[in-house]
Amino acid sequence: MELMNEDLKMYFYGNRLASYSGWPFDEDCACTSDNMAKAGFIHKPTENSPDVAQCFFCFKELEGWEPEDDPLKEHKSHSPTCNFILLKKPVEELTVEEILKLQKERQKFHIKMACKQVIEKFEEAAKSRRGDIIKIAMEG
């Protein structure tokens, strides 16, 4: 049940905002940490990319932010089916049934992301293997 609590935690703006330590954009920008958190993003910096943000719900990752980028518009354009972005009322007003339906949709996004990663790894391995086979065929 602890994992479920971690999942549910990010539905709330304050918890998403708390992830923005070291966010490179401030007051004069459209993509402030405040606006990023409101748009559903959490800060997921890497060593090479300090501005990676990921929607906690649809798992869409975006980086290369420009000061004038509007997080809500970017989220909608890159992930138009994200149920969190499509919510018509604040999270605090959702019923338990609505949260459970949302969690079901979130799981679908999670499964799609996991499958995509497995397929990409498989395709990389197949490409490498194909290269090995061609190399062996050329030698013989």
Side-chain angles (χ1 to χ4, degrees):
M1 195 63 188
E2 186 59 39
L3 182 64
M4 181 72 154
N5 291 341
E6 276 301 303
D7 281 354
L8 293 175
K9 200 169 90 170
M10 287 305 161
Y11 275 93
F12 298 97
Y13 160 81
N15 295 325
R16 292 191 303 276
L17 184 62
S19 73
Y20 282 87
S21 160
W23 181 246
F25 301 97
D26 57 19
E27 293 77 40
D28 300 333
C29 303
C31 58
T32 60
S33 52
D34 180 55
N35 288 338
M36 295 295 289
K38 284 178 182 167
F41 290 110
I42 52 177
H43 190 201
K44 304 277 274 199
T46 65
E47 217 172 282
N48 299 330
S49 302
D51 71 338
V52 177
Q54 181 184 49
C55 173
F56 84 96
F57 192 91
C58 70
F59 304 97
K60 183 68 174 176
E61 276 191 1
L62 297 176
E63 62 182 308
W65 291 90
E66 300 292 333
E68 66 279 359
D69 288 341
D70 178 333
L72 202 55
K73 283 182 184 167
E74 292 297 324
H75 196 166
K76 283 180 180 174
S77 77
H78 289 277
S79 189
T81 60
C82 177
N83 303 73
F84 182 77
I85 280 298
L86 300 173
L87 278 179
K88 302 282 188 256
K89 59 184 176 181
V91 169
E92 293 78 8
E93 293 177 17
L94 295 173
T95 65
V96 171
E97 184 180 0
E98 288 168 329
I99 292 253
L100 290 173
K101 280 182 183 173
L102 270 176
Q103 276 297 88
K104 184 174 111 183
E105 293 306 314
R106 186 173 181 271
Q107 285 302 315
K108 288 180 189 175
F109 279 110
H110 191 266
I111 290 166
K112 283 180 193 170
M113 180 188 70
C115 288
K116 185 179 171 210
Q117 288 171 344
V118 168
I119 290 168
E120 284 170 2
K121 279 184 185 172
F122 176 81
E123 287 172 347
E124 282 174 32
K127 190 176 176 182
S128 171
R129 192 75 181 125
R130 191 176 305 117
D132 293 346
I133 292 169
I134 291 169
K135 196 168 140 185
I136 292 168
M138 300 290 258
E139 290 170 357

